[in-house]
Amino acid sequence: MRSEVTRGVLVVGHGSRRREANDDVREAARRIAERGRFPLFEAAFLEIEDPNIGEGFAHLVKRGADEVIVHPYFLSPGRHTRGDIPVEVREAANHHPGINYRITEPLSAHPLVIEASVERLFETIDCRSSEKTSSGANYHAQQGTVYLVGAGPGDPGLLTIKARDLLASCDVVIYDNLVNPEMLSHVPFQAERIYVGKIGGGRQTPQDQINHLLIKHAQTGARVVRLKGGDPFLFGRGGEEAEALRRAGVRFEVVPGISSALAVPAYAGIPLTHRDFSSSVTVVSGSRARDGATCINANLSADTIVILMGVTNLRAIVGDLIAAGRSIETPAAVIRWGTYEGQQTVTETLGKIAVEAERVGLKAPAVIIVGEVVRLRERLNWFEESLESIYDDELEAMFAIA
């Protein structure tokens, strides 16, 4: 029996289209190995960049590791550290019987992280304060009022001016899973931040509890921003929350946001309407009802169908569309992390889109588009092409320096 365990360290980053972000993960892995004196180490990525988790795991086993310690290079617990990474690691380990693995906790509120964060805050607070003083905000949150605010699809540049100003003047922000963390940079340092995200198959914050938080804080006189991804009144339960606030006698305002149903197709180069292809659009939820049925069958008259929250049920959705008369040759697209730097897009015919999305590994959050307008992406794919151009320019500059 072996008396010692040969450990390998797998440092997992998210993966980005920007070379410097991926290089940062590789450099972090190298420094972690050097500082901890771990002779066996690899950097791997959750998506976009290679090697993926399975490949990195296999490299360590090939080099002699009989136990793999997986360290997510993420700051806080979330959908990746609690969901995607454990699933990917477990799948990788299944290919190597007898190899043990463990996954570290994210750094979260580790004292050294707090110390570094405070240092960065003091470095920038004077600059941020002068910027806010000169910016002249047009909107100010009022005491005892709840603002149901749409944060947009993810790109920080798509946050509305009113939403930004309300965030900058609130006492409490209650935010969802799909809100880009960069949006919280507008929130005052002393404001309370409350996460109430809902992750499919994972942590769920009951809607009654969210309603209670909104009412409780507003009744103390706090200025409350309820921050939601996309638009609060489009599959965001904003209507339910507004009803609860009205019943409790709490003042509220609705601040619309740019919905992913509109922005994500645009960032993928897919116009939802076009005089040659489409004069009507239907936006539908792809999540299953309690009886297991999808909401697809009653929404087939439109030329273009946009499906939110449906990637998990993509095969069933495709089956329903085909059964209801849609041609298997209808163009379709699935777009993950739309408007983010890591945006991924897959296009295929309706008959093949589910297989292709699974092959590439597309998961939530994703937007599905079905209709002839998808054909226009080949000519109008501006966003992902611009990211590739940035990458090429940076690569060229690196070679020029070398």
Side-chain angles (χ1 to χ4, degrees):
M1 179 179 291
R2 296 180 61 178
S3 59
E4 294 185 1
V5 175
T6 303
R7 293 188 178 88
V9 174
L10 186 65
V11 178
V12 178
H14 184 277
S16 170
R17 292 182 185 276
R18 289 185 180 273
R19 183 189 183 101
E20 66 267 27
N22 299 326
D23 287 345
D24 176 67
V25 175
R26 293 188 175 94
E27 178 62 14
R30 186 191 68 77
R31 292 189 180 187
I32 289 170
E34 183 180 79
R35 183 72 176 82
R37 297 181 180 178
F38 303 118
L40 292 181
F41 74 94
E42 291 280 347
F45 299 89
L46 188 58
E47 57 187 18
I48 300 175
E49 181 71 356
D50 293 325
N52 60 32
I53 291 175
E55 292 166 342
F57 197 102
H59 290 165
L60 289 171
V61 174
K62 186 176 181 180
R63 293 171 59 192
D66 48 30
E67 181 179 72
V68 176
I69 308 298
V70 180
H71 178 60
Y73 190 52
F74 294 78
L75 186 60
S76 301
R79 55 183 170 269
H80 296 310
T81 57
R82 294 289 188 255
D84 294 343
I85 290 178
V87 170
E88 298 285 343
V89 172
R90 183 166 60 250
E91 183 176 337
N94 287 339
H95 294 288
H96 304 280
I99 303 298
N100 296 320
Y101 72 87
R102 286 182 282 173
I103 303 175
T104 70
E105 283 293 309
L107 292 173
S108 300
H110 190 285
L112 292 178
V113 173
I114 301 302
E115 184 178 338
S117 298
V118 170
E119 182 178 340
R120 286 295 171 88
L121 282 164
F122 281 129
E123 287 175 357
T124 59
I125 194 166
D126 291 337
C127 178
R128 283 293 308 275
S129 296
S130 62
E131 286 177 357
K132 286 189 176 183
T133 300
S134 61
S135 66
N138 296 310
Y139 305 96
H140 300 276
Q142 301 299 309
Q143 291 184 332
T145 303
V146 174
Y147 298 88
L148 304 175
V149 176
D155 182 344
L158 298 180
L159 185 71
T160 66
I161 293 173
K162 187 170 187 178
R164 180 202 65 192
D165 289 353
L166 291 173
L167 285 170
S169 56
C170 73
D171 301 310
V172 180
V173 59
I174 300 173
Y175 63 99
D176 279 348
N177 178 54
L178 289 180
V179 170
N180 187 333
E182 288 188 43
M183 306 298 185
L184 301 180
S185 67
H186 299 291
V187 178
F189 180 72
Q190 70 276 12
E192 185 176 359
R193 294 163 170 79
I194 303 174
Y195 173 75
V196 292
K198 298 179 180 179
I199 303 173
R203 172 183 172 179
Q204 302 286 327
T205 303
Q207 188 61 50
D208 287 346
Q209 182 179 335
I210 296 173
N211 295 346
H212 174 72
L213 286 169
L214 295 173
I215 294 167
K216 180 185 74 171
H217 285 284
Q219 289 178 337
T220 66
R223 297 167 292 185
V224 182
V225 168
R226 172 70 171 107
L227 192 62
K228 298 169 171 286
D231 181 88
F233 272 19
L234 184 61
F235 301 132
R237 295 196 174 182
E240 297 173 38
E241 293 173 1
E243 287 182 307
L245 293 167
R246 176 56 56 86
R247 286 194 298 269
V250 173
R251 292 194 306 272
F252 68 89
E253 291 185 20
V254 180
V255 181
I258 300 176
S259 170
S260 61
L262 304 178
V264 170
Y267 270 55
I270 301 173
L272 297 182
T273 62
H274 189 284
R275 286 194 297 173
D276 295 334
F277 297 104
S278 173
S279 61
S280 57
V281 181
T282 290
V283 180
V284 61
S285 168
S287 58
R288 289 185 176 275
R290 291 179 181 178
D291 62 1
T294 66
C295 303
I296 303 302
N297 291 336
N299 298 280
L300 293 175
S301 59
D303 297 320
T304 304
I305 299 176
V306 180
I307 305 165
L308 306 181
M309 304 175 292
V311 69
T312 302
N313 302 318
L314 184 54
R315 282 185 176 270
I317 289 169
V318 167
D320 288 346
L321 288 169
I322 294 173
R326 287 273 171 168
S327 168
I328 61 173
E329 299 300 323
T330 305
V334 180
I335 307 151
R336 188 186 191 209
W337 288 119
T339 79
Y340 283 82
E341 185 182 288
Q343 176 174 305
Q344 292 177 277
T345 305
V346 168
T347 57
E348 251 299 351
T349 62
L350 183 60
K352 298 177 181 178
I353 190 64
V355 172
E356 182 62 13
E358 289 173 4
R359 185 189 69 81
V360 175
L362 293 190
K363 303 172 184 176
V367 174
I368 304 163
I369 307 165
V370 178
E372 294 298 321
V373 289
V374 174
R375 299 186 190 278
L376 293 167
R377 170 177 161 79
E378 187 175 345
R379 302 198 301 272
L380 305 181
N381 179 22
W382 64 276
F383 180 60
E384 289 165 54
E385 286 180 355
S386 68
L387 292 176
E388 291 173 1
S389 176
I390 291 172
Y391 173 80
D392 291 341
D393 290 345
E394 291 173 348
L395 192 61
E396 184 178 335
M398 290 179 64
F399 281 129
I401 294 173

